[in-house]
Amino acid sequence: MFNAQYCCTFKKIAQKFRCILACLLLAAPLLSVNAIAATAQWNARTPIKAPTANNDNGKRILFDVSHGGTQGNADWVLDGAFSDFADALVAVGYTVEEYRGVDLNSNGRIDFFDDYNIPANVGLNEAIITYDAIAHADVLVLAETNRPFSVSEYLALEQFVQAGKGIFFIADHYDADRNLNTWDATEVFNGYNRSDSSAYDLHTHYGDLRNPKVANAGWLVQNFGIRFRFNAVDYKRGVSGVKAPSDTENLTQGVGPVLMAAGATLAIIDNTKAKGLVYFGANDTPKKWTHANDAGLYFGGMAEGPYVAISKAGLGKAAFIGDSSPIEDATPKYKREDNGTTKKTYPGWSDAGNAARLSINIVNWLATPETYTRFNSYRHRAGIVTPTPMAATEKSDPNSGRPWSKPRGQYQPWKPLTFAKGSYGAPCPVQGCGYTDPGDDNTPNTGTISVAQALVLGKGTRVTVEGRVKSELNGIYALLLSDANDQTTIINVKLEPQQREQFSPVLNRAILGQLIRVTGVRDSYLSGPSIESVSAITIIN
């Protein structure tokens, strides 16, 4: 079911696109009605995690997955390998929501069609960013975006920041290219590919995306005074040149060396717009990533540019980090889209060198509107210009416009119908996709029901259930909920981290026997029927 808060905004647009859709289908025989019906049927409802009512700060964070944050080993979703990050945000009062796109044709799905390689598909692709669709949020997290933004999407991001909002750009090393489409997050964020091939001049819809070969050109530098380098650097001991809080808007308060497990740095061009938070320290000894196709490490030390940085350009804000490793956790949700195998993500959120404290500090800063517009005063100190903001090697592409390796089998990064079962965006058969997702079933939440009624519903159904807390289950991680009228009829409830202190019988014995109301998704946990992805849980007596 399409998120209700967007319906009014897009009602007129949807009517318009029904007509456009029909016309484009006639003009593009490669697309069929069956292909449209099969694509991404699983993603009708997006996950949301919310704080308790007495802890709600009234602010919303969007995790974007509309542009490749789940491709390859990436799993940057709030209920997958970014779940620790999301849970920590919820714990301090934020509502965290996954952003998938815009249901332009009002069919209850976010359908993806290649409008980058096949121009006839313009208007069909719904995995897009528009300002109206993200305007309700305070912060947008762009994690390893692997598909280029169109001209209109860049404009939407600009409008978001101009409205006083914040964007957190999480990149990775050059040649991360997780979906093998020749685009890395560093390139997408900069606004141009490393290659200068004429193939990257896409004209009207995407614009000229060729390497400009100068540091002061490109979308990111023009709007935020900074660019991502095309380097690939390893320093797992932790990047130690953490600037003093007085130089960083207090964002580095309590922050130690930050893990870099193959990542990129940035280059500051306009120090009134951008400044670094974390640099390589004098005693750090970073090395090139083993698989780097060029020098990997260009200058070393502070000359390599900041690993973590921020920008204040106008009313809005932005923050940047060159690696996902210190933010991710080891609980991926989806399968790999190229081969269907289980992903391997890094337990960076809790490992040594994690960026947990820094990330929360950054989001708090991004979510707080402030009227100053530049770093040019004693209170808001200017940054340090990077001496050589574009190295000579960054002006050419060692891959000659090709992906760093060739996709295997039938997999095509632009075609969801080739994605493996259980991966994000793969067509989902009626019997399910091999993973639990709130969108697996389009059955709406029809009101509060009993435990007995919940037990007969299919997996994926979103429910609100009332029952009594019977006992703990699996220590602090879950509880048994019995039917209010029959203690022998039970269902498992998997608790989110922020819910355990109040609702785990291990941590709070007083909760035993209490009548509670739980909103979540019908599923199976510890081989028994369950409610998971719990978005709300309250005591009702």
Side-chain angles (χ1 to χ4, degrees), residues 463-503:
V463 294
T464 297
V465 180
E466 283 187 6
R468 292 194 181 277
V469 179
K470 185 177 179 68
S471 67
E472 62 84 18
L473 177 66
N474 193 25
I476 66 172
Y477 299 102
L479 60 83
L480 284 179
L481 189 70
S482 68
D483 192 281
N485 299 313
D486 180 3
Q487 290 191 5
T488 64
T489 301
I490 59 173
I491 194 167
N492 302 338
V493 176
K494 184 180 179 184
L495 298 170
E496 297 294 320
Q498 70 274 13
Q499 298 159 354
R500 294 168 189 163
E501 183 175 356
Q502 182 178 4
F503 292 97

mmCIF file of all heavy atoms in Angstrom, residues 463-503:
data_model
loop_
_atom_site.group_PDB
_atom_site.id
_atom_site.type_symbol
_atom_site.label_atom_id
_atom_site.label_comp_id
_atom_site.label_asym_id
_atom_site.label_seq_id
_atom_site.Cartn_x
_atom_site.Cartn_y
_atom_site.Cartn_z
ATOM 1 N N VAL A 463 -0.040 -5.950 11.220
ATOM 2 C CA VAL A 463 -1.104 -6.152 12.203
ATOM 3 C C VAL A 463 -0.885 -5.288 13.435
ATOM 4 O O VAL A 463 0.221 -4.858 13.740
ATOM 5 C CB VAL A 463 -1.169 -7.635 12.654
ATOM 6 C CG1 VAL A 463 -1.587 -8.529 11.518
ATOM 7 C CG2 VAL A 463 0.171 -8.082 13.227
ATOM 8 N N THR A 464 -1.986 -5.033 14.148
ATOM 9 C CA THR A 464 -1.941 -4.478 15.498
ATOM 10 C C THR A 464 -2.662 -5.477 16.397
ATOM 11 O O THR A 464 -3.844 -5.757 16.182
ATOM 12 C CB THR A 464 -2.605 -3.101 15.572
ATOM 13 O OG1 THR A 464 -1.879 -2.186 14.750
ATOM 14 C CG2 THR A 464 -2.622 -2.580 17.002
ATOM 15 N N VAL A 465 -1.943 -6.024 17.361
ATOM 16 C CA VAL A 465 -2.449 -7.137 18.165
ATOM 17 C C VAL A 465 -2.450 -6.759 19.640
ATOM 18 O O VAL A 465 -1.494 -6.148 20.130
ATOM 19 C CB VAL A 465 -1.565 -8.393 17.962
ATOM 20 C CG1 VAL A 465 -2.085 -9.557 18.791
ATOM 21 C CG2 VAL A 465 -1.502 -8.771 16.494
ATOM 22 N N GLU A 466 -3.518 -7.141 20.338
ATOM 23 C CA GLU A 466 -3.582 -6.975 21.784
ATOM 24 C C GLU A 466 -3.451 -8.328 22.464
ATOM 25 O O GLU A 466 -4.010 -9.325 22.004
ATOM 26 C CB GLU A 466 -4.897 -6.312 22.203
ATOM 27 C CG GLU A 466 -4.938 -4.826 21.954
ATOM 28 C CD GLU A 466 -6.186 -4.174 22.549
ATOM 29 O OE1 GLU A 466 -6.945 -4.885 23.247
ATOM 30 O OE2 GLU A 466 -6.388 -2.977 22.312
ATOM 31 N N GLY A 467 -2.689 -8.373 23.542
ATOM 32 C CA GLY A 467 -2.545 -9.599 24.301
ATOM 33 C C GLY A 467 -1.808 -9.329 25.599
ATOM 34 O O GLY A 467 -1.419 -8.187 25.887
ATOM 35 N N ARG A 468 -1.621 -10.396 26.390
ATOM 36 C CA ARG A 468 -0.927 -10.247 27.665
ATOM 37 C C ARG A 468 0.478 -10.846 27.588
ATOM 38 O O ARG A 468 0.688 -11.889 26.976
ATOM 39 C CB ARG A 468 -1.716 -10.915 28.794
ATOM 40 C CG ARG A 468 -3.021 -10.208 29.091
ATOM 41 C CD ARG A 468 -3.640 -10.650 30.398
ATOM 42 N NE ARG A 468 -4.906 -9.961 30.618
ATOM 43 C CZ ARG A 468 -5.002 -8.740 31.145
ATOM 44 N NH1 ARG A 468 -3.898 -8.107 31.535
ATOM 45 N NH2 ARG A 468 -6.187 -8.170 31.307
ATOM 46 N N VAL A 469 1.433 -10.154 28.238
ATOM 47 C CA VAL A 469 2.813 -10.628 28.254
ATOM 48 C C VAL A 469 2.878 -11.875 29.127
ATOM 49 O O VAL A 469 2.602 -11.829 30.326
ATOM 50 C CB VAL A 469 3.769 -9.545 28.794
ATOM 51 C CG1 VAL A 469 5.197 -10.094 28.827
ATOM 52 C CG2 VAL A 469 3.686 -8.288 27.935
ATOM 53 N N LYS A 470 3.256 -13.013 28.522
ATOM 54 C CA LYS A 470 3.259 -14.289 29.237
ATOM 55 C C LYS A 470 4.626 -14.600 29.835
ATOM 56 O O LYS A 470 4.740 -15.012 30.993
ATOM 57 C CB LYS A 470 2.848 -15.405 28.284
ATOM 58 C CG LYS A 470 2.709 -16.767 28.942
ATOM 59 C CD LYS A 470 2.225 -17.801 27.939
ATOM 60 C CE LYS A 470 2.100 -19.192 28.560
ATOM 61 N NZ LYS A 470 1.017 -19.230 29.553
ATOM 62 N N SER A 471 5.697 -14.387 29.032
ATOM 63 C CA SER A 471 7.047 -14.691 29.534
ATOM 64 C C SER A 471 8.083 -14.113 28.579
ATOM 65 O O SER A 471 7.740 -13.594 27.510
ATOM 66 C CB SER A 471 7.258 -16.205 29.654
ATOM 67 O OG SER A 471 7.268 -16.807 28.361
ATOM 68 N N GLU A 472 9.336 -14.222 28.993
ATOM 69 C CA GLU A 472 10.411 -13.815 28.087
ATOM 70 C C GLU A 472 10.593 -14.901 27.026
ATOM 71 O O GLU A 472 10.159 -16.042 27.183
ATOM 72 C CB GLU A 472 11.714 -13.596 28.861
ATOM 73 C CG GLU A 472 12.261 -14.820 29.573
ATOM 74 C CD GLU A 472 13.099 -15.742 28.706
ATOM 75 O OE1 GLU A 472 13.566 -15.288 27.637
ATOM 76 O OE2 GLU A 472 13.276 -16.908 29.087
ATOM 77 N N LEU A 473 11.300 -14.533 25.947
ATOM 78 C CA LEU A 473 11.638 -15.490 24.898
ATOM 79 C C LEU A 473 13.016 -15.107 24.364
ATOM 80 O O LEU A 473 13.236 -13.946 23.992
ATOM 81 C CB LEU A 473 10.596 -15.452 23.767
ATOM 82 C CG LEU A 473 10.869 -16.361 22.570
ATOM 83 C CD1 LEU A 473 10.785 -17.831 22.980
ATOM 84 C CD2 LEU A 473 9.874 -16.078 21.434
ATOM 85 N N ASN A 474 13.935 -16.043 24.375
ATOM 86 C CA ASN A 474 15.286 -15.798 23.865
ATOM 87 C C ASN A 474 15.958 -14.644 24.616
ATOM 88 O O ASN A 474 16.519 -13.722 24.012
ATOM 89 C CB ASN A 474 15.257 -15.513 22.367
ATOM 90 C CG ASN A 474 16.629 -15.566 21.726
ATOM 91 O OD1 ASN A 474 17.531 -16.235 22.240
ATOM 92 N ND2 ASN A 474 16.802 -14.864 20.612
ATOM 93 N N GLY A 475 15.863 -14.701 25.947
ATOM 94 C CA GLY A 475 16.487 -13.664 26.766
ATOM 95 C C GLY A 475 15.789 -12.329 26.612
ATOM 96 O O GLY A 475 14.559 -12.237 26.698
ATOM 97 N N ILE A 476 16.575 -11.278 26.346
ATOM 98 C CA ILE A 476 16.014 -9.929 26.249
ATOM 99 C C ILE A 476 15.442 -9.618 24.874
ATOM 100 O O ILE A 476 14.883 -8.546 24.656
ATOM 101 C CB ILE A 476 17.088 -8.864 26.583
ATOM 102 C CG1 ILE A 476 18.193 -8.873 25.514
ATOM 103 C CG2 ILE A 476 17.647 -9.079 27.969
ATOM 104 C CD1 ILE A 476 19.189 -7.729 25.662
ATOM 105 N N TYR A 477 15.558 -10.566 23.931
ATOM 106 C CA TYR A 477 15.283 -10.237 22.540
ATOM 107 C C TYR A 477 13.817 -10.390 22.118
ATOM 108 O O TYR A 477 13.410 -9.876 21.083
ATOM 109 C CB TYR A 477 16.163 -11.096 21.620
ATOM 110 C CG TYR A 477 17.625 -10.857 21.864
ATOM 111 C CD1 TYR A 477 18.380 -11.762 22.598
ATOM 112 C CD2 TYR A 477 18.245 -9.701 21.410
ATOM 113 C CE1 TYR A 477 19.724 -11.533 22.855
ATOM 114 C CE2 TYR A 477 19.590 -9.461 21.666
ATOM 115 C CZ TYR A 477 20.325 -10.379 22.390
ATOM 116 O OH TYR A 477 21.652 -10.142 22.652
ATOM 117 N N ALA A 478 13.017 -11.069 22.914
ATOM 118 C CA ALA A 478 11.630 -11.284 22.511
ATOM 119 C C ALA A 478 10.779 -11.613 23.726
ATOM 120 O O ALA A 478 11.289 -11.811 24.838
ATOM 121 C CB ALA A 478 11.555 -12.414 21.482
ATOM 122 N N LEU A 479 9.475 -11.677 23.516
ATOM 123 C CA LEU A 479 8.547 -12.079 24.563
ATOM 124 C C LEU A 479 7.460 -12.951 23.970
ATOM 125 O O LEU A 479 7.246 -12.957 22.746
ATOM 126 C CB LEU A 479 7.952 -10.858 25.270
ATOM 127 C CG LEU A 479 7.144 -9.848 24.438
ATOM 128 C CD1 LEU A 479 5.692 -10.290 24.236
ATOM 129 C CD2 LEU A 479 7.166 -8.474 25.112
ATOM 130 N N LEU A 480 6.780 -13.698 24.833
ATOM 131 C CA LEU A 480 5.612 -14.477 24.437
ATOM 132 C C LEU A 480 4.370 -13.672 24.780
ATOM 133 O O LEU A 480 4.208 -13.213 25.916
ATOM 134 C CB LEU A 480 5.575 -15.824 25.159
ATOM 135 C CG LEU A 480 6.528 -16.914 24.661
ATOM 136 C CD1 LEU A 480 6.363 -18.166 25.516
ATOM 137 C CD2 LEU A 480 6.262 -17.240 23.198
ATOM 138 N N LEU A 481 3.491 -13.502 23.808
ATOM 139 C CA LEU A 481 2.251 -12.758 24.001
ATOM 140 C C LEU A 481 1.091 -13.740 23.921
ATOM 141 O O LEU A 481 0.923 -14.454 22.928
ATOM 142 C CB LEU A 481 2.111 -11.692 22.904
ATOM 143 C CG LEU A 481 0.981 -10.684 23.067
ATOM 144 C CD1 LEU A 481 1.279 -9.746 24.230
ATOM 145 C CD2 LEU A 481 0.800 -9.870 21.783
ATOM 146 N N SER A 482 0.289 -13.787 24.972
ATOM 147 C CA SER A 482 -0.849 -14.708 24.978
ATOM 148 C C SER A 482 -2.132 -13.968 24.636
ATOM 149 O O SER A 482 -2.244 -12.753 24.835
ATOM 150 C CB SER A 482 -0.992 -15.380 26.356
ATOM 151 O OG SER A 482 -1.379 -14.436 27.339
ATOM 152 N N ASP A 483 -3.091 -14.716 24.122
ATOM 153 C CA ASP A 483 -4.399 -14.149 23.832
ATOM 154 C C ASP A 483 -5.043 -13.663 25.139
ATOM 155 O O ASP A 483 -4.920 -14.323 26.175
ATOM 156 C CB ASP A 483 -5.285 -15.215 23.172
ATOM 157 C CG ASP A 483 -6.544 -14.624 22.582
ATOM 158 O OD1 ASP A 483 -7.490 -14.354 23.357
ATOM 159 O OD2 ASP A 483 -6.581 -14.420 21.353
ATOM 160 N N ALA A 484 -5.684 -12.518 25.089
ATOM 161 C CA ALA A 484 -6.271 -11.935 26.306
ATOM 162 C C ALA A 484 -7.309 -12.855 26.935
ATOM 163 O O ALA A 484 -7.555 -12.791 28.148
ATOM 164 C CB ALA A 484 -6.890 -10.583 25.980
ATOM 165 N N ASN A 485 -7.913 -13.744 26.136
ATOM 166 C CA ASN A 485 -8.969 -14.623 26.637
ATOM 167 C C ASN A 485 -8.541 -16.084 26.747
ATOM 168 O O ASN A 485 -9.334 -16.933 27.158
ATOM 169 C CB ASN A 485 -10.193 -14.536 25.725
ATOM 170 C CG ASN A 485 -10.764 -13.134 25.673
ATOM 171 O OD1 ASN A 485 -10.939 -12.491 26.708
ATOM 172 N ND2 ASN A 485 -11.039 -12.644 24.466
ATOM 173 N N ASP A 486 -7.291 -16.406 26.359
ATOM 174 C CA ASP A 486 -6.833 -17.789 26.392
ATOM 175 C C ASP A 486 -5.311 -17.806 26.508
ATOM 176 O O ASP A 486 -4.596 -17.598 25.527
ATOM 177 C CB ASP A 486 -7.268 -18.529 25.122
ATOM 178 C CG ASP A 486 -6.819 -19.977 25.106
ATOM 179 O OD1 ASP A 486 -6.220 -20.435 26.095
ATOM 180 O OD2 ASP A 486 -7.044 -20.642 24.071
ATOM 181 N N GLN A 487 -4.786 -18.077 27.696
ATOM 182 C CA GLN A 487 -3.349 -18.018 27.938
ATOM 183 C C GLN A 487 -2.579 -19.095 27.202
ATOM 184 O O GLN A 487 -1.350 -19.030 27.097
ATOM 185 C CB GLN A 487 -3.066 -18.104 29.437
ATOM 186 C CG GLN A 487 -3.493 -16.883 30.216
ATOM 187 C CD GLN A 487 -2.954 -16.898 31.633
ATOM 188 O OE1 GLN A 487 -2.186 -17.786 32.003
ATOM 189 N NE2 GLN A 487 -3.348 -15.912 32.417
ATOM 190 N N THR A 488 -3.245 -20.111 26.673
ATOM 191 C CA THR A 488 -2.545 -21.171 25.947
ATOM 192 C C THR A 488 -2.335 -20.813 24.475
ATOM 193 O O THR A 488 -1.594 -21.499 23.771
ATOM 194 C CB THR A 488 -3.325 -22.496 26.032
ATOM 195 O OG1 THR A 488 -4.584 -22.367 25.371
ATOM 196 C CG2 THR A 488 -3.547 -22.890 27.490
ATOM 197 N N THR A 489 -2.989 -19.770 24.011
ATOM 198 C CA THR A 489 -2.832 -19.319 22.630
ATOM 199 C C THR A 489 -1.793 -18.206 22.606
ATOM 200 O O THR A 489 -2.019 -17.130 23.167
ATOM 201 C CB THR A 489 -4.170 -18.806 22.061
ATOM 202 O OG1 THR A 489 -5.128 -19.870 22.129
ATOM 203 C CG2 THR A 489 -4.023 -18.343 20.617
ATOM 204 N N ILE A 490 -0.643 -18.467 22.020
ATOM 205 C CA ILE A 490 0.468 -17.517 22.130
ATOM 206 C C ILE A 490 1.094 -17.217 20.772
ATOM 207 O O ILE A 490 0.955 -17.991 19.810
ATOM 208 C CB ILE A 490 1.563 -18.058 23.079
ATOM 209 C CG1 ILE A 490 2.095 -19.400 22.565
ATOM 210 C CG2 ILE A 490 1.053 -18.171 24.503
ATOM 211 C CD1 ILE A 490 3.283 -19.933 23.346
ATOM 212 N N ILE A 491 1.790 -16.089 20.714
ATOM 213 C CA ILE A 491 2.564 -15.691 19.538
ATOM 214 C C ILE A 491 3.863 -15.037 20.017
ATOM 215 O O ILE A 491 3.890 -14.397 21.081
ATOM 216 C CB ILE A 491 1.747 -14.727 18.643
ATOM 217 C CG1 ILE A 491 2.412 -14.583 17.267
ATOM 218 C CG2 ILE A 491 1.575 -13.358 19.296
ATOM 219 C CD1 ILE A 491 1.514 -13.899 16.236
ATOM 220 N N ASN A 492 4.932 -15.257 19.298
ATOM 221 C CA ASN A 492 6.221 -14.644 19.643
ATOM 222 C C ASN A 492 6.255 -13.194 19.186
ATOM 223 O O ASN A 492 5.759 -12.880 18.092
ATOM 224 C CB ASN A 492 7.372 -15.395 18.967
ATOM 225 C CG ASN A 492 7.414 -16.868 19.329
ATOM 226 O OD1 ASN A 492 6.873 -17.271 20.353
ATOM 227 N ND2 ASN A 492 8.053 -17.671 18.500
ATOM 228 N N VAL A 493 6.856 -12.332 19.973
ATOM 229 C CA VAL A 493 7.038 -10.928 19.600
ATOM 230 C C VAL A 493 8.523 -10.612 19.693
ATOM 231 O O VAL A 493 9.103 -10.656 20.787
ATOM 232 C CB VAL A 493 6.235 -9.977 20.515
ATOM 233 C CG1 VAL A 493 6.530 -8.518 20.141
ATOM 234 C CG2 VAL A 493 4.746 -10.266 20.410
ATOM 235 N N LYS A 494 9.139 -10.301 18.561
ATOM 236 C CA LYS A 494 10.557 -9.941 18.545
ATOM 237 C C LYS A 494 10.678 -8.450 18.831
ATOM 238 O O LYS A 494 10.124 -7.618 18.116
ATOM 239 C CB LYS A 494 11.184 -10.258 17.188
ATOM 240 C CG LYS A 494 12.675 -10.005 17.128
ATOM 241 C CD LYS A 494 13.241 -10.343 15.757
ATOM 242 C CE LYS A 494 14.730 -10.065 15.710
ATOM 243 N NZ LYS A 494 15.291 -10.304 14.348
ATOM 244 N N LEU A 495 11.424 -8.101 19.874
ATOM 245 C CA LEU A 495 11.536 -6.708 20.305
ATOM 246 C C LEU A 495 12.673 -5.994 19.581
ATOM 247 O O LEU A 495 13.750 -6.563 19.378
ATOM 248 C CB LEU A 495 11.785 -6.645 21.814
ATOM 249 C CG LEU A 495 10.672 -7.220 22.709
ATOM 250 C CD1 LEU A 495 11.162 -7.317 24.152
ATOM 251 C CD2 LEU A 495 9.416 -6.372 22.622
ATOM 252 N N GLU A 496 12.430 -4.743 19.202
ATOM 253 C CA GLU A 496 13.488 -3.892 18.677
ATOM 254 C C GLU A 496 14.369 -3.442 19.856
ATOM 255 O O GLU A 496 13.918 -3.417 21.004
ATOM 256 C CB GLU A 496 12.897 -2.674 17.969
ATOM 257 C CG GLU A 496 12.042 -3.017 16.744
ATOM 258 C CD GLU A 496 12.864 -3.632 15.629
ATOM 259 O OE1 GLU A 496 14.000 -3.175 15.395
ATOM 260 O OE2 GLU A 496 12.383 -4.581 14.993
ATOM 261 N N PRO A 497 15.639 -3.087 19.594
ATOM 262 C CA PRO A 497 16.553 -2.747 20.700
ATOM 263 C C PRO A 497 16.019 -1.693 21.650
ATOM 264 O O PRO A 497 16.185 -1.801 22.871
ATOM 265 C CB PRO A 497 17.803 -2.265 19.959
ATOM 266 C CG PRO A 497 17.790 -3.023 18.671
ATOM 267 C CD PRO A 497 16.334 -3.108 18.292
ATOM 268 N N GLN A 498 15.366 -0.656 21.108
ATOM 269 C CA GLN A 498 14.898 0.435 21.962
ATOM 270 C C GLN A 498 13.670 0.054 22.782
ATOM 271 O O GLN A 498 13.250 0.807 23.666
ATOM 272 C CB GLN A 498 14.595 1.671 21.105
ATOM 273 C CG GLN A 498 13.372 1.556 20.209
ATOM 274 C CD GLN A 498 13.672 0.897 18.873
ATOM 275 O OE1 GLN A 498 14.749 0.312 18.705
ATOM 276 N NE2 GLN A 498 12.768 1.004 17.925
ATOM 277 N N GLN A 499 13.092 -1.137 22.524
ATOM 278 C CA GLN A 499 11.895 -1.571 23.242
ATOM 279 C C GLN A 499 12.217 -2.534 24.385
ATOM 280 O O GLN A 499 11.350 -2.809 25.223
ATOM 281 C CB GLN A 499 10.930 -2.254 22.253
ATOM 282 C CG GLN A 499 10.450 -1.331 21.152
ATOM 283 C CD GLN A 499 9.940 -2.078 19.931
ATOM 284 O OE1 GLN A 499 10.036 -3.315 19.858
ATOM 285 N NE2 GLN A 499 9.413 -1.349 18.959
ATOM 286 N N ARG A 500 13.440 -3.030 24.421
ATOM 287 C CA ARG A 500 13.759 -4.119 25.351
ATOM 288 C C ARG A 500 13.758 -3.697 26.810
ATOM 289 O O ARG A 500 13.314 -4.447 27.680
ATOM 290 C CB ARG A 500 15.122 -4.724 24.975
ATOM 291 C CG ARG A 500 15.085 -5.419 23.624
ATOM 292 C CD ARG A 500 16.479 -5.750 23.117
ATOM 293 N NE ARG A 500 16.436 -6.223 21.740
ATOM 294 C CZ ARG A 500 17.488 -6.284 20.931
ATOM 295 N NH1 ARG A 500 18.687 -5.886 21.394
ATOM 296 N NH2 ARG A 500 17.371 -6.720 19.708
ATOM 297 N N GLU A 501 14.242 -2.506 27.099
ATOM 298 C CA GLU A 501 14.332 -2.078 28.494
ATOM 299 C C GLU A 501 12.969 -2.062 29.165
ATOM 300 O O GLU A 501 12.820 -2.452 30.325
ATOM 301 C CB GLU A 501 14.975 -0.695 28.575
ATOM 302 C CG GLU A 501 15.162 -0.217 30.011
ATOM 303 C CD GLU A 501 15.905 1.107 30.091
ATOM 304 O OE1 GLU A 501 16.333 1.620 29.036
ATOM 305 O OE2 GLU A 501 16.046 1.635 31.199
ATOM 306 N N GLN A 502 11.938 -1.623 28.436
ATOM 307 C CA GLN A 502 10.605 -1.515 29.033
ATOM 308 C C GLN A 502 9.791 -2.799 28.902
ATOM 309 O O GLN A 502 9.012 -3.148 29.801
ATOM 310 C CB GLN A 502 9.831 -0.363 28.388
ATOM 311 C CG GLN A 502 8.439 -0.148 28.989
ATOM 312 C CD GLN A 502 7.705 1.030 28.367
ATOM 313 O OE1 GLN A 502 8.188 1.666 27.429
ATOM 314 N NE2 GLN A 502 6.519 1.321 28.872
ATOM 315 N N PHE A 503 9.987 -3.552 27.780
ATOM 316 C CA PHE A 503 9.063 -4.644 27.492
ATOM 317 C C PHE A 503 9.668 -6.051 27.605
ATOM 318 O O PHE A 503 8.949 -7.033 27.486
ATOM 319 C CB PHE A 503 8.450 -4.454 26.107
ATOM 320 C CG PHE A 503 7.534 -3.266 26.023
ATOM 321 C CD1 PHE A 503 7.983 -2.047 25.537
ATOM 322 C CD2 PHE A 503 6.220 -3.354 26.471
ATOM 323 C CE1 PHE A 503 7.144 -0.942 25.480
ATOM 324 C CE2 PHE A 503 5.374 -2.255 26.422
ATOM 325 C CZ PHE A 503 5.834 -1.047 25.928
#
